[in-house]
Amino acid sequence: MRSVEEQLAIITSAAVTPEPVRIAITETLGLRCAERVEGTEPLPGFDQAAIDGYAVRSVDIRQALAAARSGDFDRDSEDAPATEKATENTSGVKETLPIVGDVTAGSLRPIRLQPRQAVRVEMGAPLPTLADSVLPLDWVEKEGRKIRPLEAIASGEFVHRKGSDVQPGDVVVEEGAVIGAAQVGLLAAVGRSKVLVYPRPRLSVLSFGRELLDIDRDPAVGQVYDVNSYALAAAAREAGADVHRVGILSGEPRKMREVLESQLLRSEVVVISGAVGGAASDELREILSEMGEMDIQRIAMHPGSVMGFGTLGQDKVPTFLLPANPSAALVAFEVMVRPLVQLIRGRRQATRRVVPARTIAGIASAPGRRGFIRGQLMRDRETREFLVDPLGAVNGGEPTHLLGSHGQANCLIVVPSDVTDVAPGQVVDVLFLSNKD
């Protein structure tokens, strides 16, 4: 019997990264970048207002505030007393600045700001020449087409300087980085409509079994619906693969071989359920052995202890043979197939997040095999401790092969191979089946 670690080492050694492709950035979310992307122009490409306000020279604001503090008045003010007008500062410094224009975001008309003037600007608008800051709207009192500043402002305040985000030659997306929303935004910001990426691994799913019937037909006695091709295709898609659900593999040997060869040509991974036991699968396994190396082993785990793995076809495509039982097939996919998909995608962490949790019921596990028991993971509101309610292999409860409880599970409880009974209240490792990578 082969250990889980030994089987995983064989599987992961067969991972092959797909050839990069150049695609639109709108389609790159979650993919790994296959090139180093650098900025070619400054970003932003011009000095830009960071808020709505007034573009000014900071020195003019300081002088206007100083004039207000010293008791000087605007020469144009009609409200100033005559005696005070007679004692005005002969330097001509005023406590108000005239508004000489308006600049909206996207404006293509350049404006030159003269000393002791202000220009109304929108957020994102190009800053007028000579302006070095933007005075917020609530930092002024507006008097017709003039503003009276209430606060001092530093040079560069509320301004996005040209090239402050990206300079020519700056790396905006590293080769090998997983592209998220921020990376898509950066690619758009530097004018890249397409980028070279490693595509999602193409994965084909097939089901084998004389008793299988597709779900759009009515089963006769002895027939069952093909559950696995649907369930495994969904699991593969959730893992990040580009999935092709072939459905039921049937017919004479020559026809089955043609179907298999076509999937090997179009896939980086092939998954076949229902081909590891019984006399009916001997014929299929013989076909597979002619197409490459296929090894069927008993693995020290449950459920899903019997499975096959090999590399088939000219391109040595990793191919899995999983159990016919839907619940066992899903567990085998999670433990063995999903890590390979993650490695092909370039993920640093190939397995799910593992958290310690305290069981609220006893668990029975097969001796000498690592158990992967379905469960519901929850958290205590007061202690914030993880708790887990086992849904399969419970002492005195349901058997492990039922699929119904799998739909209620959000985790797999990992029971070591040397443990057969877990008492309520014990802490166990839990594989969290989040829908996120």
Side-chain angles (χ1 to χ4, degrees), residues 300-322:
M301 62 177 284
H302 77 94
S305 60
V306 180
M307 67 181 69
F309 177 75
T311 52
L312 305 183
Q314 184 177 354
D315 295 328
K316 297 188 179 301
V317 176
T319 302
F320 293 85
L321 304 183
L322 301 186

Side-chain angles (χ1 to χ4, degrees), residues 379-395:
R379 204 160 197 172
D380 189 286
R381 290 184 178 180
E382 295 182 0
T383 66
R384 306 304 296 163
E385 179 184 32
F386 282 114
L387 304 174
V388 64
D389 183 12
L391 300 175
V394 182
N395 289 337

Side-chain angles (χ1 to χ4, degrees), residues 263-325:
Q263 299 313 309
L264 293 173
L265 289 174
R266 67 178 296 168
S267 309
E268 277 79 44
V269 181
V270 172
V271 176
I272 309 171
S273 69
V276 291
S281 62
D282 290 344
E283 190 174 63
L284 175 58
R285 292 198 296 271
E286 183 177 343
I287 295 171
L288 295 172
S289 65
E290 295 172 356
M291 302 172 67
E293 299 178 0
M294 177 57 66
D295 179 34
I296 297 176
Q297 284 283 338
R298 185 173 291 276
I299 311 300
M301 62 177 284
H302 77 94
S305 60
V306 180
M307 67 181 69
F309 177 75
T311 52
L312 305 183
Q314 184 177 354
D315 295 328
K316 297 188 179 301
V317 176
T319 302
F320 293 85
L321 304 183
L322 301 186
N325 176 271

